[in-house]
Short mmCIF file of all heavy atoms in Angstrom, two decimals:
data_model
loop_
_atom_site.label_atom_id
_atom_site.label_comp_id
_atom_site.label_asym_id
_atom_site.label_seq_id
_atom_site.Cartn_x
_atom_site.Cartn_y
_atom_site.Cartn_z
N MET E 1 187.18 68.59 -116.27
CA MET E 1 187.85 68.80 -117.53
C MET E 1 186.80 69.05 -118.61
O MET E 1 185.75 68.42 -118.64
CB MET E 1 188.70 67.59 -117.89
CG MET E 1 189.35 67.77 -119.23
SD MET E 1 190.80 66.78 -119.68
CE MET E 1 190.46 65.15 -119.27
N ALA E 2 187.09 69.98 -119.50
CA ALA E 2 186.17 70.33 -120.58
C ALA E 2 186.06 69.18 -121.59
O ALA E 2 187.02 68.45 -121.83
CB ALA E 2 186.65 71.60 -121.27
N LYS E 3 184.90 69.07 -122.20
CA LYS E 3 184.65 68.06 -123.22
C LYS E 3 184.42 68.77 -124.54
O LYS E 3 183.74 69.80 -124.59
CB LYS E 3 183.44 67.21 -122.86
CG LYS E 3 183.61 66.41 -121.59
CD LYS E 3 182.36 65.64 -121.27
CE LYS E 3 182.50 64.91 -119.95
NZ LYS E 3 181.26 64.21 -119.60
N PHE E 4 184.96 68.21 -125.61
CA PHE E 4 184.87 68.82 -126.93
C PHE E 4 184.35 67.82 -127.95
O PHE E 4 184.52 66.62 -127.78
CB PHE E 4 186.26 69.28 -127.40
CG PHE E 4 186.85 70.38 -126.56
CD1 PHE E 4 187.54 70.09 -125.40
CD2 PHE E 4 186.72 71.70 -126.93
CE1 PHE E 4 188.10 71.10 -124.62
CE2 PHE E 4 187.26 72.72 -126.16
CZ PHE E 4 187.95 72.42 -125.00
N ILE E 5 183.71 68.34 -129.00
CA ILE E 5 183.38 67.54 -130.17
C ILE E 5 184.05 68.19 -131.37
O ILE E 5 184.26 69.40 -131.40
CB ILE E 5 181.85 67.40 -130.41
CG1 ILE E 5 181.19 68.76 -130.61
CG2 ILE E 5 181.20 66.62 -129.27
CD1 ILE E 5 179.75 68.67 -131.09
N GLU E 6 184.40 67.37 -132.35
CA GLU E 6 185.02 67.88 -133.57
C GLU E 6 183.94 68.11 -134.62
O GLU E 6 183.09 67.24 -134.87
CB GLU E 6 186.04 66.88 -134.10
CG GLU E 6 186.79 67.39 -135.33
CD GLU E 6 187.82 66.39 -135.81
OE1 GLU E 6 187.45 65.52 -136.62
OE2 GLU E 6 188.97 66.49 -135.36
N VAL E 7 183.95 69.29 -135.23
CA VAL E 7 183.02 69.63 -136.30
C VAL E 7 183.80 70.29 -137.44
O VAL E 7 184.93 70.70 -137.26
CB VAL E 7 181.89 70.57 -135.82
CG1 VAL E 7 181.00 69.88 -134.79
CG2 VAL E 7 182.44 71.87 -135.26
N THR E 8 183.16 70.38 -138.59
CA THR E 8 183.79 70.97 -139.76
C THR E 8 182.90 72.09 -140.30
O THR E 8 181.73 71.86 -140.59
CB THR E 8 183.98 69.91 -140.87
OG1 THR E 8 184.63 68.77 -140.32
CG2 THR E 8 184.79 70.47 -142.02
N ASP E 9 183.48 73.29 -140.40
CA ASP E 9 182.75 74.38 -141.03
C ASP E 9 183.46 74.75 -142.33
O ASP E 9 184.33 74.02 -142.79
CB ASP E 9 182.57 75.59 -140.09
CG ASP E 9 183.85 76.36 -139.83
OD1 ASP E 9 184.93 75.95 -140.31
OD2 ASP E 9 183.77 77.39 -139.15
N GLN E 10 183.11 75.90 -142.91
CA GLN E 10 183.69 76.29 -144.19
C GLN E 10 185.19 76.56 -144.11
O GLN E 10 185.88 76.54 -145.13
CB GLN E 10 182.95 77.48 -144.81
CG GLN E 10 182.69 78.65 -143.91
CD GLN E 10 181.44 78.53 -143.06
OE1 GLN E 10 181.17 77.50 -142.46
NE2 GLN E 10 180.70 79.60 -142.94
N GLU E 11 185.72 76.77 -142.92
CA GLU E 11 187.15 77.04 -142.76
C GLU E 11 187.95 75.80 -142.40
O GLU E 11 189.17 75.83 -142.36
CB GLU E 11 187.36 78.13 -141.71
CG GLU E 11 186.78 79.46 -142.13
CD GLU E 11 186.96 80.54 -141.09
OE1 GLU E 11 187.80 80.38 -140.18
OE2 GLU E 11 186.26 81.55 -141.19
N GLY E 12 187.29 74.71 -142.08
CA GLY E 12 187.98 73.47 -141.73
C GLY E 12 187.50 72.88 -140.43
O GLY E 12 186.49 73.30 -139.87
N LYS E 13 188.24 71.91 -139.93
CA LYS E 13 187.87 71.21 -138.69
C LYS E 13 188.19 72.06 -137.48
O LYS E 13 189.14 72.82 -137.48
CB LYS E 13 188.60 69.88 -138.59
CG LYS E 13 188.16 68.87 -139.62
CD LYS E 13 188.75 67.51 -139.34
CE LYS E 13 188.30 66.50 -140.36
NZ LYS E 13 186.93 66.09 -140.21
N MET E 14 187.37 71.91 -136.44
CA MET E 14 187.60 72.61 -135.18
C MET E 14 187.01 71.80 -134.05
O MET E 14 186.18 70.91 -134.26
CB MET E 14 186.97 74.00 -135.22
CG MET E 14 185.44 73.97 -135.18
SD MET E 14 184.71 75.60 -135.14
CE MET E 14 185.09 76.16 -136.77
N LEU E 15 187.45 72.11 -132.84
CA LEU E 15 186.88 71.50 -131.64
C LEU E 15 185.98 72.53 -130.97
O LEU E 15 186.35 73.69 -130.83
CB LEU E 15 187.99 71.07 -130.68
CG LEU E 15 188.90 69.96 -131.20
CD1 LEU E 15 190.05 69.74 -130.21
CD2 LEU E 15 188.14 68.67 -131.41
N VAL E 16 184.80 72.08 -130.55
CA VAL E 16 183.85 72.95 -129.88
C VAL E 16 183.62 72.41 -128.48
O VAL E 16 183.31 71.23 -128.30
CB VAL E 16 182.50 73.00 -130.65
CG1 VAL E 16 181.47 73.81 -129.90
CG2 VAL E 16 182.70 73.55 -132.05
N ASN E 17 183.80 73.28 -127.49
CA ASN E 17 183.53 72.91 -126.10
C ASN E 17 182.03 72.70 -125.95
O ASN E 17 181.23 73.62 -126.19
CB ASN E 17 184.01 74.04 -125.18
CG ASN E 17 183.86 73.72 -123.72
OD1 ASN E 17 182.99 72.96 -123.31
ND2 ASN E 17 184.71 74.31 -122.91
N ILE E 18 181.62 71.51 -125.54
CA ILE E 18 180.19 71.21 -125.50
C ILE E 18 179.45 72.03 -124.44
O ILE E 18 178.24 72.21 -124.55
CB ILE E 18 179.90 69.70 -125.33
CG1 ILE E 18 180.41 69.18 -124.00
CG2 ILE E 18 180.50 68.92 -126.49
CD1 ILE E 18 180.01 67.74 -123.72
N GLU E 19 180.16 72.54 -123.46
CA GLU E 19 179.51 73.37 -122.44
C GLU E 19 179.15 74.75 -122.97
O GLU E 19 178.39 75.47 -122.33
CB GLU E 19 180.42 73.47 -121.22
CG GLU E 19 180.61 72.14 -120.52
CD GLU E 19 181.58 72.22 -119.36
OE1 GLU E 19 182.05 73.32 -119.03
OE2 GLU E 19 181.87 71.17 -118.78
N CYS E 20 179.70 75.12 -124.12
CA CYS E 20 179.43 76.43 -124.72
C CYS E 20 178.29 76.39 -125.73
O CYS E 20 177.87 77.43 -126.24
CB CYS E 20 180.68 76.97 -125.41
SG CYS E 20 182.02 77.32 -124.26
N ILE E 21 177.79 75.20 -126.04
CA ILE E 21 176.73 75.08 -127.04
C ILE E 21 175.39 75.48 -126.42
O ILE E 21 174.99 74.94 -125.39
CB ILE E 21 176.65 73.64 -127.60
CG1 ILE E 21 177.95 73.30 -128.32
CG2 ILE E 21 175.45 73.48 -128.52
CD1 ILE E 21 178.05 71.85 -128.77
N ILE E 22 174.72 76.43 -127.06
CA ILE E 22 173.40 76.86 -126.61
C ILE E 22 172.33 75.98 -127.25
O ILE E 22 171.43 75.49 -126.59
CB ILE E 22 173.16 78.34 -126.94
CG1 ILE E 22 174.18 79.20 -126.20
CG2 ILE E 22 171.73 78.76 -126.61
CD1 ILE E 22 174.17 80.65 -126.61
N TYR E 23 172.41 75.80 -128.57
CA TYR E 23 171.48 74.89 -129.25
C TYR E 23 172.07 74.41 -130.56
O TYR E 23 173.02 74.97 -131.09
CB TYR E 23 170.12 75.54 -129.48
CG TYR E 23 170.09 76.65 -130.49
CD1 TYR E 23 169.96 76.40 -131.85
CD2 TYR E 23 170.18 77.98 -130.10
CE1 TYR E 23 169.95 77.41 -132.78
CE2 TYR E 23 170.15 79.01 -131.01
CZ TYR E 23 170.03 78.71 -132.36
OH TYR E 23 170.01 79.73 -133.26
N ILE E 24 171.46 73.34 -131.08
CA ILE E 24 171.81 72.78 -132.38
C ILE E 24 170.52 72.74 -133.18
O ILE E 24 169.48 72.32 -132.67
CB ILE E 24 172.39 71.37 -132.25
CG1 ILE E 24 173.65 71.40 -131.40
CG2 ILE E 24 172.68 70.76 -133.61
CD1 ILE E 24 174.11 70.04 -130.98
N GLN E 25 170.60 73.18 -134.43
CA GLN E 25 169.39 73.25 -135.25
C GLN E 25 169.57 72.46 -136.54
O GLN E 25 170.53 72.65 -137.28
CB GLN E 25 169.08 74.70 -135.60
CG GLN E 25 167.85 74.88 -136.44
CD GLN E 25 167.58 76.34 -136.76
OE1 GLN E 25 168.39 77.22 -136.44
NE2 GLN E 25 166.47 76.61 -137.37
N LYS E 26 168.63 71.56 -136.78
CA LYS E 26 168.60 70.81 -138.03
C LYS E 26 168.00 71.72 -139.10
O LYS E 26 167.01 72.41 -138.85
CB LYS E 26 167.75 69.55 -137.86
CG LYS E 26 167.75 68.62 -139.03
CD LYS E 26 166.97 67.36 -138.68
CE LYS E 26 167.06 66.36 -139.79
NZ LYS E 26 166.38 65.10 -139.41
N THR E 27 168.59 71.74 -140.29
CA THR E 27 168.09 72.59 -141.37
C THR E 27 167.75 71.74 -142.59
O THR E 27 168.09 70.56 -142.65
CB THR E 27 169.12 73.66 -141.78
OG1 THR E 27 170.26 73.01 -142.32
CG2 THR E 27 169.54 74.50 -140.58
N ASP E 28 167.09 72.37 -143.56
CA ASP E 28 166.77 71.68 -144.81
C ASP E 28 167.96 71.61 -145.75
O ASP E 28 167.96 70.84 -146.69
CB ASP E 28 165.60 72.38 -145.52
CG ASP E 28 164.30 72.23 -144.76
OD1 ASP E 28 164.15 71.23 -144.01
OD2 ASP E 28 163.43 73.09 -144.90
N SER E 29 168.98 72.43 -145.47
CA SER E 29 170.18 72.41 -146.32
C SER E 29 171.13 71.33 -145.82
O SER E 29 170.82 70.59 -144.89
CB SER E 29 170.87 73.77 -146.31
OG SER E 29 171.46 74.01 -145.05
N ILE E 30 172.31 71.29 -146.40
CA ILE E 30 173.28 70.27 -146.00
C ILE E 30 174.01 70.64 -144.72
O ILE E 30 174.73 69.83 -144.16
CB ILE E 30 174.32 70.01 -147.13
CG1 ILE E 30 175.10 71.29 -147.45
CG2 ILE E 30 173.66 69.43 -148.35
CD1 ILE E 30 176.29 71.07 -148.35
N GLU E 31 173.81 71.86 -144.23
CA GLU E 31 174.51 72.30 -143.03
C GLU E 31 173.62 72.22 -141.80
O GLU E 31 172.41 72.33 -141.88
CB GLU E 31 175.00 73.73 -143.21
CG GLU E 31 176.02 73.89 -144.31
CD GLU E 31 176.45 75.32 -144.50
OE1 GLU E 31 175.59 76.21 -144.40
OE2 GLU E 31 177.65 75.54 -144.76
N THR E 32 174.26 72.04 -140.65
CA THR E 32 173.59 72.08 -139.36
C THR E 32 174.08 73.33 -138.64
O THR E 32 175.24 73.70 -138.76
CB THR E 32 173.95 70.83 -138.53
OG1 THR E 32 173.57 69.67 -139.28
CG2 THR E 32 173.23 70.82 -137.19
N VAL E 33 173.19 73.98 -137.90
CA VAL E 33 173.54 75.21 -137.21
C VAL E 33 173.85 74.89 -135.75
O VAL E 33 173.07 74.21 -135.08
CB VAL E 33 172.39 76.24 -137.28
CG1 VAL E 33 172.71 77.49 -136.49
CG2 VAL E 33 172.06 76.57 -138.72
N ILE E 34 174.99 75.38 -135.26
CA ILE E 34 175.34 75.28 -133.84
C ILE E 34 175.50 76.70 -133.32
O ILE E 34 176.32 77.45 -133.82
CB ILE E 34 176.64 74.50 -133.61
CG1 ILE E 34 176.53 73.07 -134.14
CG2 ILE E 34 176.99 74.48 -132.12
CD1 ILE E 34 177.82 72.27 -133.99
N GLU E 35 174.70 77.05 -132.33
CA GLU E 35 174.81 78.37 -131.69
C GLU E 35 175.62 78.20 -130.41
O GLU E 35 175.32 77.34 -129.58
CB GLU E 35 173.42 78.89 -131.36
CG GLU E 35 173.39 80.28 -130.76
CD GLU E 35 173.57 81.37 -131.80
OE1 GLU E 35 173.29 81.14 -132.97
OE2 GLU E 35 173.97 82.47 -131.40
N ILE E 36 176.69 78.99 -130.27
CA ILE E 36 177.52 78.91 -129.08
C ILE E 36 177.60 80.27 -128.41
O ILE E 36 177.14 81.27 -128.96
CB ILE E 36 178.93 78.36 -129.40
CG1 ILE E 36 179.67 79.23 -130.40
CG2 ILE E 36 178.85 76.92 -129.89
CD1 ILE E 36 181.09 78.79 -130.67
N PHE E 37 178.19 80.30 -127.22
CA PHE E 37 178.33 81.56 -126.47
C PHE E 37 178.98 82.63 -127.33
O PHE E 37 179.59 82.35 -128.36
CB PHE E 37 179.16 81.36 -125.23
CG PHE E 37 178.51 80.52 -124.16
CD1 PHE E 37 179.28 79.85 -123.23
CD2 PHE E 37 177.14 80.40 -124.07
CE1 PHE E 37 178.70 79.08 -122.24
CE2 PHE E 37 176.54 79.63 -123.09
CZ PHE E 37 177.33 78.97 -122.17
N ASN E 38 178.88 83.86 -126.89
CA ASN E 38 179.47 85.02 -127.57
C ASN E 38 178.79 85.30 -128.90
O ASN E 38 179.40 85.82 -129.82
CB ASN E 38 180.98 84.86 -127.77
CG ASN E 38 181.72 84.67 -126.47
OD1 ASN E 38 181.32 85.21 -125.45
ND2 ASN E 38 182.78 83.89 -126.50
N ASP E 39 177.52 84.91 -129.02
CA ASP E 39 176.75 85.17 -130.24
C ASP E 39 177.42 84.64 -131.50
O ASP E 39 177.38 85.26 -132.55
CB ASP E 39 176.45 86.67 -130.39
CG ASP E 39 175.54 87.17 -129.28
OD1 ASP E 39 174.66 86.41 -128.85
OD2 ASP E 39 175.72 88.33 -128.87
N LYS E 40 178.08 83.52 -131.39
CA LYS E 40 178.77 82.89 -132.53
C LYS E 40 177.89 81.78 -133.07
O LYS E 40 177.37 80.96 -132.32
CB LYS E 40 180.11 82.33 -132.06
CG LYS E 40 180.86 81.55 -133.09
CD LYS E 40 181.58 82.45 -134.05
CE LYS E 40 182.48 81.62 -134.95
NZ LYS E 40 182.94 82.33 -136.10
N THR E 41 177.69 81.80 -134.39
CA THR E 41 176.92 80.76 -135.05
C THR E 41 177.83 80.01 -136.00
O THR E 41 178.52 80.61 -136.81
CB THR E 41 175.74 81.36 -135.83
OG1 THR E 41 174.92 82.10 -134.93
CG2 THR E 41 174.90 80.28 -136.49
N LEU E 42 177.83 78.69 -135.89
CA LEU E 42 178.63 77.84 -136.77
C LEU E 42 177.70 77.10 -137.73
O LEU E 42 176.68 76.55 -137.30
CB LEU E 42 179.42 76.81 -135.97
CG LEU E 42 180.38 77.33 -134.92
CD1 LEU E 42 180.96 76.16 -134.13
CD2 LEU E 42 181.49 78.14 -135.56
N PHE E 43 178.03 77.11 -139.00
CA PHE E 43 177.31 76.32 -139.99
C PHE E 43 178.22 75.15 -140.34
O PHE E 43 179.22 75.32 -141.04
CB PHE E 43 177.00 77.17 -141.23
CG PHE E 43 176.08 78.31 -140.91
CD1 PHE E 43 176.58 79.55 -140.54
CD2 PHE E 43 174.70 78.14 -140.97
CE1 PHE E 43 175.74 80.60 -140.24
CE2 PHE E 43 173.85 79.20 -140.67
CZ PHE E 43 174.37 80.43 -140.30
N VAL E 44 177.90 73.98 -139.82
CA VAL E 44 178.81 72.84 -139.93
C VAL E 44 178.29 71.81 -140.93
O VAL E 44 177.10 71.74 -141.22
CB VAL E 44 179.05 72.18 -138.56
CG1 VAL E 44 179.70 73.17 -137.60
CG2 VAL E 44 177.78 71.63 -137.96
N GLN E 45 179.23 71.02 -141.45
CA GLN E 45 178.90 70.04 -142.48
C GLN E 45 178.31 68.76 -141.91
O GLN E 45 177.63 68.02 -142.62
CB GLN E 45 180.16 69.71 -143.29
CG GLN E 45 180.69 70.91 -144.05
CD GLN E 45 182.01 70.61 -144.74
OE1 GLN E 45 182.51 69.49 -144.71
NE2 GLN E 45 182.58 71.62 -145.35
N GLU E 46 178.57 68.48 -140.64
CA GLU E 46 178.04 67.26 -140.03
C GLU E 46 176.52 67.35 -139.91
O GLU E 46 175.97 68.42 -139.67
CB GLU E 46 178.64 67.03 -138.64
CG GLU E 46 180.09 66.62 -138.65
CD GLU E 46 181.05 67.78 -138.85
OE1 GLU E 46 180.62 68.95 -138.77
OE2 GLU E 46 182.23 67.53 -139.08
N SER E 47 175.86 66.22 -140.04
CA SER E 47 174.40 66.20 -139.90
C SER E 47 173.99 66.37 -138.44
O SER E 47 174.79 66.16 -137.53
CB SER E 47 173.84 64.88 -140.43
OG SER E 47 174.19 63.82 -139.55
N TYR E 48 172.76 66.75 -138.25
CA TYR E 48 172.20 66.89 -136.91
C TYR E 48 172.37 65.58 -136.14
O TYR E 48 172.76 65.58 -134.97
CB TYR E 48 170.72 67.26 -137.03
CG TYR E 48 169.99 67.31 -135.73
CD1 TYR E 48 170.02 68.46 -134.94
CD2 TYR E 48 169.27 66.21 -135.27
CE1 TYR E 48 169.34 68.51 -133.74
CE2 TYR E 48 168.60 66.26 -134.06
CZ TYR E 48 168.63 67.41 -133.30
OH TYR E 48 167.97 67.45 -132.10
N GLU E 49 172.11 64.46 -136.81
CA GLU E 49 172.20 63.16 -136.15
C GLU E 49 173.64 62.84 -135.73
O GLU E 49 173.87 62.28 -134.67
CB GLU E 49 171.66 62.05 -137.07
CG GLU E 49 170.15 62.07 -137.24
CD GLU E 49 169.64 63.16 -138.19
OE1 GLU E 49 170.45 63.73 -138.96
OE2 GLU E 49 168.44 63.46 -138.14
N GLU E 50 174.62 63.20 -136.57
CA GLU E 50 176.03 62.98 -136.21
C GLU E 50 176.42 63.79 -134.99
O GLU E 50 177.09 63.28 -134.08
CB GLU E 50 176.94 63.40 -137.37
CG GLU E 50 176.97 62.45 -138.54
CD GLU E 50 177.86 62.97 -139.64
OE1 GLU E 50 177.37 63.76 -140.48
OE2 GLU E 50 179.05 62.60 -139.65
N ILE E 51 176.01 65.04 -134.95
CA ILE E 51 176.34 65.91 -133.81
C ILE E 51 175.66 65.41 -132.55
O ILE E 51 176.27 65.34 -131.48
CB ILE E 51 175.98 67.37 -134.11
CG1 ILE E 51 176.84 67.88 -135.26
CG2 ILE E 51 176.15 68.24 -132.86
CD1 ILE E 51 176.42 69.22 -135.81
N LYS E 52 174.41 65.03 -132.67
CA LYS E 52 173.67 64.49 -131.53
C LYS E 52 174.37 63.25 -130.97
O LYS E 52 174.55 63.12 -129.76
CB LYS E 52 172.24 64.15 -131.94
CG LYS E 52 171.39 63.64 -130.81
CD LYS E 52 169.98 63.35 -131.28
CE LYS E 52 169.19 62.69 -130.19
NZ LYS E 52 167.88 62.22 -130.65
N SER E 53 174.82 62.39 -131.84
CA SER E 53 175.53 61.17 -131.42
C SER E 53 176.84 61.52 -130.72
O SER E 53 177.17 60.95 -129.68
CB SER E 53 175.80 60.29 -132.64
OG SER E 53 176.55 59.17 -132.28
N LYS E 54 177.60 62.47 -131.27
CA LYS E 54 178.85 62.89 -130.64
C LYS E 54 178.60 63.47 -129.25
O LYS E 54 179.37 63.21 -128.32
CB LYS E 54 179.56 63.94 -131.50
CG LYS E 54 180.15 63.39 -132.78
CD LYS E 54 180.81 64.51 -133.59
CE LYS E 54 181.38 64.00 -134.89
NZ LYS E 54 182.13 65.04 -135.61
N LEU E 55 177.54 64.25 -129.10
CA LEU E 55 177.22 64.83 -127.80
C LEU E 55 176.81 63.77 -126.79
O LEU E 55 177.18 63.81 -125.62
CB LEU E 55 176.12 65.88 -127.93
CG LEU E 55 176.53 67.18 -128.61
CD1 LEU E 55 175.31 68.04 -128.88
CD2 LEU E 55 177.55 67.92 -127.77
N GLU E 56 176.04 62.77 -127.25
CA GLU E 56 175.63 61.69 -126.35
C GLU E 56 176.84 60.90 -125.87
O GLU E 56 176.93 60.52 -124.70
CB GLU E 56 174.63 60.77 -127.07
CG GLU E 56 173.27 61.42 -127.24
CD GLU E 56 172.32 60.60 -128.11
OE1 GLU E 56 172.78 59.68 -128.82
OE2 GLU E 56 171.13 60.93 -128.09
N ILE E 57 177.79 60.67 -126.77
CA ILE E 57 179.01 59.95 -126.39
C ILE E 57 179.83 60.77 -125.41
O ILE E 57 180.30 60.27 -124.40
CB ILE E 57 179.83 59.58 -127.64
CG1 ILE E 57 179.09 58.52 -128.45
CG2 ILE E 57 181.23 59.10 -127.26
CD1 ILE E 57 179.67 58.28 -129.84
N ALA E 58 179.98 62.07 -125.72
CA ALA E 58 180.79 62.94 -124.85
C ALA E 58 180.18 63.07 -123.46
O ALA E 58 180.89 63.18 -122.46
CB ALA E 58 180.93 64.32 -125.49
N ASN E 59 178.85 63.07 -123.39
CA ASN E 59 178.17 63.20 -122.10
C ASN E 59 178.03 61.87 -121.37
O ASN E 59 177.65 61.87 -120.20
CB ASN E 59 176.79 63.85 -122.29
CG ASN E 59 176.91 65.32 -122.53
OD1 ASN E 59 177.72 66.00 -121.95
ND2 ASN E 59 176.08 65.84 -123.44
N GLY E 60 178.35 60.79 -122.09
CA GLY E 60 178.39 59.45 -121.52
C GLY E 60 177.26 59.14 -120.66
O GLY E 60 177.16 58.52 -119.71
#
């Protein structure tokens, strides 16, 4: 079964399949970058540390 994390971008909350994440990038701005398949880049409001924690929990 697929695992998802919830993130928030400029359009609102969404679920991202963690198997589709290529990388997560911490930035100097308030946004964190998530690169996913299909050349899609998400600029999310959650911090790098929050996303890392969600991924660790999801991967158990």
Side-chain angles (χ1 to χ4, degrees):
M1 177 160 47
K3 297 178 184 177
F4 295 84
I5 59 170
E6 183 179 88
V7 295
T8 309
D9 71 356
Q10 48 276 44
E11 296 179 16
K13 292 190 180 286
M14 70 177 70
L15 295 174
V16 175
N17 184 331
I18 64 173
E19 294 176 4
C20 294
I21 297 173
I22 298 171
Y23 69 85
I24 300 168
Q25 180 180 7
K26 186 175 186 176
T27 64
D28 292 334
S29 71
I30 61 169
E31 296 178 322
T32 303
V33 177
I34 299 178
E35 183 78 23
I36 60 176
F37 291 156
N38 302 327
D39 295 325
K40 174 80 172 165
T41 302
L42 302 174
F43 296 91
V44 299
Q45 296 174 3
E46 289 80 11
S47 70
Y48 175 85
E49 288 77 15
E50 286 178 273
I51 295 170
K52 182 179 173 188
S53 176
K54 289 179 182 186
L55 289 171
E56 288 172 345
I57 291 168
N59 285 321

